[in-house]
Amino acid sequence: MIRPLPSHGLLDRVLRVLFPGALLLLLSGCASVSYYGQLANGQLQLLRAREPVSKVLADPSRDPELRAHLAQSQKARTFASQQLHLPDNQSYRLYADIGRPFVVWNVFATPEFSLSPQNHCFPVAGCVAYRGYYTQSAARGQAALLREEGMDVSIGGVEAYSTLGWFNDPIISSMMGWGDERLATLIFHELAHQRVYVKDDTEFNESFATFVEREGTRQWRAWRGLAPDNGNPAQQRDQFIQLVLDTRSRLEQLYATPLSTEQMRQRKAQEFERLRSRYRTLRDSQWAGDKRYDAWINAPMNNARLLPFGLYDQWVPAFAALFKQERGDWPAFYAAVEKLGALPAPERKAALKGLAGPGNGAG
């Protein structure tokens, strides 16, 4: 249950007083003062930048394209609460211009021969499979240190994130580079995190939010009288994700074998080349040469680059099955998800595997 919060203006004034003290309480032996300091400062700057969307819409001096984009976002925001039964609060009814392409940069890391992420634990969010930085330079610095330790590392820019209902999250300027529908999907995804969140289980949380995003978008299109998005982009996305997930499965099997370090490195490189080859075959034979994923596939590859796919997609089939089991009833679905989330981790994973069925989900 999300507790009521003060208005964003009052909250800013409260945070100026409470953030330093709260920061000291959050510190632990596994995280530095400087890291928590940049988290606190970055979040505070974001909160200070907020203004009501209604204020932007009412100001004729503001960019017309921005106003039109925000006007459409508010229709999706209303739909999210009224039709998808997502939280009805001030989140995404505020706007913040941050002047950069991403709000944070996440650093993912794994051992050289493992797909298990290096987890980081926080008092509120629990343990997550990445560390976030409000500047790209700080993320790169951390990544360099991890590489020196022999870790596989990847940096990913993030357009939006949820504070899980603790603050009224804004629509951020970093979210505005996409079309109206993509912005709607981001709102659905981030509000889903406010609706259900399980500490210490990134895969569960992100797969759940991804399912809500996709099903919510399908219903959002139907509500507006649009045809389902079953065209090439959606189909290609699903096929590409499956290629990556298949590679993850093969690598997990590889890393469980008793090979020497050099043999393991050679086989690992072969698996990544196999992924590239399968992608090019798919692209040229079924996608008419569409190169939308070429930049990703041709970049240097390592375990950490595969992590987001496992985190965001591996249990989507399980949540889709659960939604069908609950006959498309959103409140009943959320109640069932909460029951799953309350299970001990091994039982939760077993239940998700059962829902996903043979051939789906992580091994």
Side-chain angles (χ1 to χ4, degrees), residues 21 27 30 44 47 61 76 132 144 209 226 262 318 323 338 345 348 351:
L27 294 177
C30 64
L44 184 55
L47 296 178
S61 69
L226 301 177
E262 286 308 312
F323 188 74
E338 288 172 343
R348 185 188 313 138

Side-chain angles (χ1 to χ4, degrees), residues 3-182:
R3 58 184 177 82
L5 293 166
S7 68
H8 71 279
L10 175 58
L11 183 56
D12 285 349
R13 293 194 292 273
V14 171
L15 285 171
R16 292 189 191 107
V17 177
L18 295 184
F19 243 94
L23 178 59
L24 292 176
L25 292 174
L26 289 173
L27 294 177
S28 66
C30 64
S32 68
V33 173
S34 62
Y35 177 69
Y36 273 114
Q38 67 91 28
L39 285 183
N41 185 59
Q43 179 63 40
L44 184 55
Q45 288 182 0
L46 178 61
L47 296 178
R48 284 175 171 165
R50 295 173 304 169
E51 58 183 323
V53 168
S54 58
K55 179 182 176 182
V56 180
L57 296 179
D59 186 351
S61 69
R62 303 294 286 267
D63 177 39
E65 186 176 345
L66 170 66
R67 292 168 66 203
H69 207 11
L70 287 175
Q72 290 302 313
S73 77
Q74 296 309 281
K75 295 177 182 178
R77 178 64 185 84
T78 300
F79 178 86
S81 292
Q82 293 184 352
Q83 304 298 322
L84 306 182
H85 297 269
L86 291 168
D88 188 6
N89 52 34
Q90 286 302 303
S91 289
Y92 310 108
R93 293 187 171 109
L94 305 167
Y95 174 70
D97 189 341
I98 60 173
R100 58 183 187 269
F102 300 108
V103 61
V104 293
W105 285 262
N106 284 342
V107 177
F108 297 89
T110 72
E112 184 179 5
F113 303 127
S114 172
L115 284 162
S116 297
Q118 183 182 69
N119 285 321
H120 304 277
C121 300
F122 303 91
V124 174
C127 296
V128 295
Y130 48 80
R131 250 186 161 186
Y133 294 84
Y134 281 89
T135 65
Q136 189 176 29
S137 60
R140 286 174 172 171
Q142 176 64 16
L145 292 174
L146 290 167
R147 289 190 186 99
E148 288 182 3
E149 297 174 8
M151 304 289 283
D152 277 12
V153 184
S154 177
I155 301 174
V158 178
E159 300 149 319
Y161 65 85
S162 172
T163 59
L164 310 180
W166 282 81
F167 306 129
N168 290 318
D169 298 318
I171 294 172
I172 310 172
S173 54
S174 54
M175 301 164 67
M176 303 302 285
W178 299 81
D180 290 332
E181 185 164 298
R182 176 55 180 152

